[in-house]
Amino acid sequence: MAEQATIERVKRAFAERFGGEPDLIAQAPGRVNLIGEHTDYNDGFVLPLAIDRGTVVAARRAGADVRVYAADFDQEDRFTFAEPVEGSDWRNYVRGIIAMLVEEEIAPQGMELVIAGDVPQGAGLSSSASLEVAVGLAVAKLAGVEIDMTRLAQLAQRAENEFAGCACGIMDQLVSARAEAEQALLIDCRTLECRPVPMPDDLAVLIVHSGVERGLVDSAYNERRQQCEAAARHFGLAALRDAEAEHLETADGLDALARRRARHVVTENARTVQAAEALSGGDTARLSTLMADSHLSMRDDFEITVPAIDELVALLQREIGEEGGARMTGGGFGGCVIALLPRSRVDQVAQAVRDGYRPPNGKPVLIHVCRPAAGAGLLSA
Ligand code: GLA
């Protein structure tokens, strides 16, 4: 859920740009992942939650073409459904999800959209998924269609796969579409079943931006995905979700690198299911170990962390001890670290981060304490 100021900004921009009022306003949140990294495209488990930042879209049926104004960039895009989707900035995401809805015949001919968001970009908090889901929901509603939220997430994922060049899994779009307030969501990425896991009242979610820019992320991400798929083929399995410890032990002919990649996925899946149990049971010592092991596995087996992030995670783990945990979150190679910790210790731990961590980009460290938010929906226009 975006902040109130963002909603006001969208309303004002709509009146200035197109005049009058929108027919509807939709929002979709960004996300942070508690645990379960690079497991989604292996048909595995993930445990994300929606954050209290998101994308807001004000929309109205009008004319015969599509006009989209991105208030954050002060840029407008104008197109018809007949045009191919191309480009690499925000326009691509918008055109991509609209193209998906057009294919499903759930988009009105002409429309005016105004978009604004407050998910930090390039931070690994899924600003793009929140953009795709918010636009998709707004357009489907404009067409008068009650779209199933899982279907919407699947279309948004396809838009990202086909038009943004990232072979991402379903986690970001699905949690943005289906999250519930004050809950994390245990998602089975094979069946797409979502089980809400209540967040204990006394635990805070702290997101710390490492200040590491995420360069060339898509190619490294896609490479990890290919390595996982190759390992699954080697085992004769549909996906690494089906691999067991025995597969790893008897992985004859599988090279050492592919074996480590597979080991990350197999162990991370098990950790994710256990973390959901530990979270609902308030077992912070167990969460602490699971998050620490997840980070090590990302560092050593999947090789998606960077030294500055390892250092930040170590600092947080030292401060928090067994009262919570810390690990890198998201696709990797930069972005954010997530920590769980007692609410009463947030100020002290945040200060320790400010004192002890120097982000490589030279900027002050960004720390956000967030409440698990609800998924996408309509706001009153
Ligand atoms: C990115 C992708 C997700 C997921 C994570 C890693 O956020 O979009 O589908 O694979 O990385 O867990």
Side-chain angles (χ1 to χ4, degrees):
M1 175 77 172
E3 295 183 312
Q4 193 58 35
T6 309
I7 300 168
E8 297 306 325
R9 197 146 49 87
V10 162
K11 289 183 180 171
R12 259 197 325 275
F14 193 93
E16 281 165 24
R17 195 80 191 177
F18 299 127
E21 308 248 313
D23 293 341
L24 58 88
I25 299 178
Q27 71 81 28
R31 68 95 188 92
V32 68
N33 192 17
L34 277 179
I35 194 164
E37 228 62 86
H38 287 260
T39 43
D40 59 352
Y41 56 77
N42 290 298
D43 277 4
F45 294 92
V46 291
L47 188 60
L49 53 95
I51 60 173
D52 41 11
R53 297 291 179 88
T55 304
V56 183
V57 180
R60 183 166 69 192
R61 294 181 77 134
D65 54 4
V66 184
R67 288 182 68 188
V68 190
Y69 177 65
D72 298 327
F73 306 114
D74 189 23
Q75 289 173 354
E76 187 174 317
D77 191 20
R78 197 172 185 148
F79 58 97
T80 64
F81 293 163
E83 288 168 51
V85 179
E86 50 194 26
S88 61
D89 57 6
W90 64 271
R91 296 174 178 84
N92 208 25
Y93 295 104
V94 174
R95 288 186 179 211
I97 181 66
I98 292 180
M100 288 295 151
L101 293 169
V102 170
E103 223 180 271
E104 301 276 305
E105 298 182 356
I106 35 182
Q109 265 299 322
M111 47 195 159
E112 294 162 336
L113 308 179
V114 170
I115 304 172
D118 50 34
V119 183
Q121 287 175 24
L125 298 175
S126 294
S127 58
S128 59
S130 96
L131 170 61
E132 292 151 0
V133 172
V135 170
L137 181 63
V139 171
K141 291 278 185 186
L142 271 190
V145 174
E146 281 308 316
I147 189 165
D148 173 76
M149 293 309 263
T150 299
R151 182 84 195 112
L152 175 59
Q154 288 173 314
L155 294 174
Q157 180 201 13
R158 266 186 60 204
E160 181 112 9
N161 292 165
E162 292 176 24
F163 300 118
C166 180
C168 67
I170 190 78
M171 167 169 70
D172 308 343
Q173 292 81 7
L174 196 55
V175 68
S176 179
R178 294 197 45 191
E180 294 182 22
E182 307 302 333
Q183 325 271 325
L185 211 58
L186 178 65
I187 303 176
D188 178 334
C189 297
R190 172 165 279 166
T191 62
L192 303 188
E193 185 202 338
C194 296
R195 183 157 70 77
V197 182
M199 187 63 87
D201 272 352
D202 53 344
L203 268 194
V205 177
L206 197 76
I207 302 173
V208 183
H209 196 312
S210 65
V212 179
E213 311 300 333
R214 300 172 76 234
L216 295 176
V217 178
D218 285 352
S219 58
Y221 182 95
N222 294 346
E223 181 194 65
R224 293 300 184 284
R225 183 169 182 155
Q226 283 158 12
Q227 290 165 337
C228 290
E229 288 168 354
R233 273 197 304 278
H234 177 89
F235 296 136
L237 301 171
L240 283 181
R241 151 75 172 268
D242 304 312
E244 314 272 350
E246 297 84 75
H247 285 102
L248 300 174
E249 282 151 23
T250 57
D252 297 338
L254 188 64
D255 66 80
L257 180 84
R259 190 193 185 107
R260 279 191 286 121
R261 300 292 190 254
R263 185 167 60 189
H264 165 75
V265 175
V266 171
T267 56
E268 184 77 352
N269 264 329
R271 282 187 290 269
T272 304
V273 174
Q274 289 167 28
E277 275 166 27
L279 190 65
S280 42
D283 186 348
T284 55
R286 184 95 189 99
L287 279 171
S288 188
T289 307
L290 292 166
M291 290 175 83
D293 289 350
S294 169
H295 188 83
L296 288 179
S297 180
M298 290 191 289
R299 188 190 72 184
D300 300 336
D301 278 351
F302 222 60
E303 295 178 286
I304 53 171
T305 73
V306 294
I309 288 198
D310 295 337
E311 188 198 313
L312 175 58
V313 166
L315 187 158
L316 281 159
Q317 288 173 345
R318 271 197 310 277
E319 288 295 325
I320 296 169
E322 291 206 330
E323 293 184 290
R327 56 182 283 284
M328 184 188 76
T329 181
F333 309 101
C336 288
V337 165
I338 182 170
L340 290 180
L341 72 169
R343 207 162 280 294
S344 58
R345 294 200 51 212
V346 164
D347 290 347
Q348 177 236 321
V349 170
Q351 194 53 48
V353 170
R354 281 189 209 97
D355 292 344
Y357 180 69
R358 291 282 155 269
N361 63 2
K363 296 191 186 145
V365 60
L366 291 178
I367 301 178
H368 183 58
V369 184
C370 95
R371 298 297 310 163
L378 288 190
L379 303 169
S380 47

